[in-house]
Amino acid sequence: ELAGLRAALVWLAFPPVLITVSTGTTDVVLAGFVVVAVVLWRRPSWCSAVLALGGWFKLAPFALVPLLLAPLRGRRLAGAAGAFALVSGAMIALLLAVGGIHGPGAMIRAVSYQFSRGDPQSVWSVLGLERLQPVGQAAVLALIAGAAVRLRRDPALAGDRVRIAALAAAILIGLELAADYWAFLYVIWVVPLLSLSVLSDAVPQPRSEPVRATSEAVSYTHLTLPTILRV
C-alpha cells in the first residue's frame, strides 16, 4: 500500500502528466493500459487481452507480449494466446465494419507513415547520429529477445511485478529512443512503471538507521512527501 501511495504521488507530481492531459492526446490512456497489464501480469489471459487492446490503441504495448508469453506453458499459454487472438479478432472486425474491406489497407498505410516520419527532437537528429540509429533499434530488439529467453528459462521471475515493471519500462524507453519520431508526451508511458519499480518496498534502498527509524515510526496519516519518497 505504501509503495502504491508513493507511486501515485510521483505520478500526480510529474509535470509532463499535466501537460500531456492538457493537450488532449491519448498518451495517458496508453500509460493506463501498460499499468493495468503489469498489475494483471500474474493472470496471463487478462494481461494478454489488455496488452492486445493497448497495442491496437498504440503499437508500443505489443513489444511486451513476448515477455508475457515466454514463461507460460500448457493451458496458461493457450489461454493467453487465445485472449490475444480474441481481442485482435474483435479489433479487425471493428476495422472492417468502420472502413469496409479497404479499412485494413488504410490502417497499414497509416502505420507505415509512423515508421517513416522523422523528428528534429529525436536523440539521433539532435546529436547527428542518424547512421547509428539502426544499431539502437537492433539493441532494443535484442533486449526484448534476451528478456524473453531469460523468462522462458526462469519462469519464476515473471511473478515479480517489481522486476517486470522495471523491464517493461526499459523496453518502452528503448522503443522511444530508437524510434524516428519522439515527443516529450511519450515520457509518461514509463513514469508509472518506474515509480512502481524504484519506489517499491521490494527494492533494497540504503538508508541510515536514524532515517529508517523515523520513516518506520511515521503513521499513514502523517506521511509527508519527503518521507514517502525516502529523500
Side-chain angles (χ1 to χ4, degrees):
E1 293 180 1
L2 186 57
L5 179 59
R6 294 190 195 111
L9 286 175
V10 169
W11 171 252
L12 294 174
F14 193 56
V17 173
L18 176 60
I19 299 173
T20 305
V21 172
S22 301
T23 62
T25 65
T26 57
D27 295 289
V28 176
V29 179
L30 179 65
F33 274 122
V34 174
V35 170
V36 171
V38 171
V39 171
L40 296 175
W41 200 266
R42 297 175 186 172
R43 299 184 178 182
S45 296
W46 287 101
C47 181
S48 179
V50 172
L51 287 178
L53 282 172
W56 279 91
F57 185 77
K58 229 167 192 179
L59 293 172
F62 282 150
L64 304 181
V65 174
L67 308 184
L68 173 67
L69 299 181
L72 302 180
R73 297 191 179 40
R75 295 179 61 182
R76 288 167 62 84
L77 176 59
F84 187 90
L86 182 63
V87 172
S88 296
M91 294 297 101
I92 293 174
L94 179 61
L95 184 64
L96 291 172
V98 173
I101 59 174
H102 302 293
M107 181 198 70
I108 292 174
R109 286 192 296 272
V111 171
S112 64
Y113 167 71
Q114 297 297 326
F115 283 103
S116 62
R117 67 173 177 169
D119 180 40
Q121 298 183 75
S122 72
V123 64
W124 312 104
S125 299
V126 171
L127 300 178
L129 301 175
E130 290 86 350
R131 293 184 178 181
L132 295 180
Q133 185 176 3
V135 177
Q137 295 170 340
V140 176
L141 294 177
L143 172 62
I144 296 173
V149 170
R150 177 62 191 276
L151 289 171
R152 182 70 179 179
R153 293 179 176 177
D154 190 359
L157 292 177
D160 188 340
R161 286 197 185 97
V162 173
R163 299 182 73 173
I164 290 297
L167 180 58
I171 289 174
L172 292 178
I173 290 173
L175 289 176
E176 291 184 18
L177 293 178
D180 291 329
Y181 184 83
W182 184 85
F184 72 90
L185 305 174
Y186 301 162
V187 173
I188 67 169
W189 299 358
V190 299
V191 173
L193 301 178
L194 291 175
S195 301
L196 288 173
S197 58
V198 175
L199 301 178
S200 172
D201 290 327
V203 179
Q205 302 186 28
R207 293 178 294 162
S208 62
E209 290 299 327
V211 173
R212 181 180 297 109
T214 301
S215 62
E216 291 174 353
V218 177
S219 66
Y220 281 99
T221 57
H222 294 86
L223 287 173
T224 62
L225 186 57
T227 303
I228 293 171
L229 299 182
R230 292 179 177 175
V231 175

